[in-house]
Amino acid sequence: MRRATSLLLAQHKPFSFLSPSTAPRGNKKFAVDLLVQKNNAVAAPWVTNARLGAPPRSADHPRSVPGLVCIGRLDADTTGLMLWTDDADMARRVMSADSGVEKEYLVRVKGHEAWDERRRERTTRLLAHGMAIDGVPLHRATAGWLNGEQLRVVLTEGRHRQ
């Protein structure tokens, strides 16, 4: 059976907040903890999806939405877009290594001052021609330098520690 509706939330994950696959330590908090009504940019309350004709109901916190999952993850020291849904099929389609969905990252390179043009070119060639994690080849990435310290990387898969 097809779903009547699905919930899709877009969130900016700030620095130091964690994706759901990470266990918080110290003063770290989960990014989902920011999905509360007072942070909702839309005037309407959070609404759960209406499953097979059931009426929607308001939710004070998205954690009360059954089956809410994060599509992908970002490290604690990464900021950026996180998507949340209660549609597990949608999440699998986007996260699948074969989905072809592009994920763009702007990476600030630590120690960039010591990198010469040759090292920058070698890095982009390596990303473009494929690398491996734990012996498993990665899909090729598109990579290019925006400036002397920022690298733009576009991935079509999202493997842990990629």
Side-chain angles (χ1 to χ4, degrees):
M1 279 179 126
R2 303 280 306 159
R3 296 170 62 107
T5 60
S6 296
L7 178 69
L8 180 64
L9 299 173
Q11 173 194 34
H12 176 266
K13 187 195 85 60
F15 182 81
S16 84
F17 281 82
L18 302 172
S19 295
S21 62
T22 309
R25 284 177 285 215
N27 62 351
K28 303 274 194 231
K29 293 182 180 178
F30 283 119
V32 73
D33 293 334
L34 296 172
L35 295 177
V36 294
Q37 188 61 43
K38 73 177 184 177
N39 293 338
N40 187 354
V42 181
W46 304 111
V47 176
T48 64
N49 63 346
R51 295 191 192 277
L52 302 174
R57 63 180 178 83
S58 293
D60 291 331
H61 192 290
R63 283 191 180 192
S64 65
V65 175
L68 187 71
V69 295
C70 185
I71 301 176
R73 63 177 305 276
L74 293 173
D75 294 333
D77 58 352
T78 303
T79 64
L81 176 69
M82 290 181 70
L83 297 175
W84 299 85
T85 186
D86 62 348
D87 186 335
D89 290 335
M90 179 197 312
R92 274 191 294 279
R93 284 191 311 270
V94 172
M95 290 188 297
S96 166
D98 297 325
S99 72
V101 174
E102 293 183 345
K103 295 102 178 160
E104 181 176 331
Y105 300 88
L106 301 180
V107 181
R108 193 168 312 279
V109 177
K110 188 174 184 177
H112 64 86
E113 304 86 358
W115 286 41
D116 59 13
E117 191 59 34
R118 190 169 156 211
R119 186 171 181 189
R120 285 188 182 91
E121 287 176 22
R122 220 173 36 239
T123 301
T124 54
R125 269 197 318 274
L126 182 62
L127 290 166
H129 290 93
M131 299 171 60
I133 294 178
D134 298 329
V136 179
L138 300 171
H139 292 188
R140 294 177 180 201
T142 303
W145 291 90
L146 296 177
N147 54 50
E149 66 181 71
Q150 273 192 316
L151 182 64
R152 177 183 173 266
V153 180
V154 179
L155 306 175
T156 56
E157 65 181 327
R159 300 252 305 276
H160 184 63
R161 295 290 175 219
Q162 187 176 6

